[in-house]
Amino acid sequence: MQFENTRAFAKTMDARDPLKKYKDEFIFPRVNGKPVIYFTGNSLGLQPKRTRKYVDEVMKDWAELAVEGHFYAQKPWWDYQERFAGPLSRVVGAKPSEVTVMNTLTVNLHLLMVSFYRPTPKRYKILCEAKAFPSDQYMLQSQVKFHGFDPADAIVEVEKREGEHYIRTEDIMAKIEETGDELALVLIGGVNYYTGQVFDMKAITRAGHRTGALVGWDLAHAAGNIKLQLHDWEVDFAAWCSYKYMNSGPGNASGAFVHEKHHDNGDLPRFAGWWGHNKERRFLMEPGFDPVRGADGWQVSNLPVLSLAPYLASIEMFDEAGMDALIRKRNELTAYLEFILEQVDAGTDSKFEIITPRNPEERACQLSVFLHGQGKPLFDYLMKNGVITDWREPNVIRLAPVPFYCSFEDMYEFGQILKEGIN
Ligand SMILES: *Cc1c(COP(=O)(O)O)cnc(C)c1O
């Protein structure tokens, strides 16, 4: 498509956008009396207007029914998470029995590691990407130490090459091959939080399995952003937070995936709790843990219904809009933002370097931009003028044009403000 850096062109794009009505379904903070241009949905998604209704419903049921709400609420609380199975499985490409909602992301990774990182003296290494999100680094290091290994030896990091900005898939493949039968687990972030690089999860999962390792994914920046086919790719396990692209609210509940092939394996250790116990017999309070078959069998505590309510509101929006339509718009919007950045850059002395892959297959809803010759004042200027971006040292801004609530006109408008802010 031939893009143009004009408001008229952007408006035409918006007019033919099948998802345009959703912008009005979100609440935007205001700066100088105007709704902001929001580029940080990769960090905390905006609040959908319909969320309040879902939360109010739980508050009302709690007020009017108290403990009886577990069984008689409009959406009974005792199995509230089962409402996610259908829509959430469609977002991540799983069978309904393979997904559940519980706890928070890093906690779920720890719990899943109990089942899927079972090192032996010979096969104990974990392969991950260098500079993984810090919480994942701490999680992996502490798991390895817990099992009596030295992180310096047991954690194998794949680095980007000198002078390049992201990791080559072939280098991941080579490292998997090289680690061979010492490799117990591959665990990578499906979309890198810093560069926005999307990894070839299908190929990497297959390569991990070929060496006899298990493969898990942290999908914090992937869930609700890219096309996932966790079941077909034979991913062993995965977890994601819901407050980034999934718009469920700060620090909110995490989703987890456990592949069907593990559902009947009674030998898998897990840290159990009463909510993972056989549904029919849960309230008989019997001794002896009998897990629910499927991802729900990894549940521990009874459900934080007040935090699941906003997640449910959001997941139903995803089901309504459909991942394919969101991805189609995401691709156009990201490409248009890339075009705008190039246009602005061409007219100034600055030098913007997009460090996200230029190949649309290797990126999703994020462009990370190195602002050579510019610094924090530019970021501050954008914030003061109603453009919310994210600043990372040394001088990178991350821009996520989220298809649910960003428009083409937002991209155009951003370009105008950016141009004024450069000096
Ligand atoms: C956002 C993010 C987290 C955050 O973890 P919490 O447990 O939800 O605080 C972890 N890992 C990755 C890769 C992330 O992007």
Side-chain angles (χ1 to χ4, degrees), residues 104-107 109 133 135-136 189 193 218 220-221 241 243-244:
T104 45
L105 171 55
T106 311
V107 171
L109 289 173
F133 191 88
S135 196
D136 297 33
Y193 79 100
D218 179 331
H221 281 259
C241 49
Y243 47 80
K244 291 175 179 167

Side-chain angles (χ1 to χ4, degrees), residues 109-126 139-151 153-154 184-185 269 271:
L109 289 173
H110 276 299
L111 290 174
L112 290 163
M113 293 288 279
V114 171
S115 302
F116 299 109
Y117 177 56
R118 300 164 67 200
T120 66
K122 167 114 184 78
R123 190 185 276 283
Y124 60 95
K125 292 189 175 172
I126 301 176
M139 182 278 292
L140 290 176
Q141 289 159 4
S142 62
Q143 283 283 340
V144 161
K145 283 195 213 155
F146 174 75
H147 286 283
F149 295 96
D150 173 9
D153 170 42
L185 178 69
F271 285 170

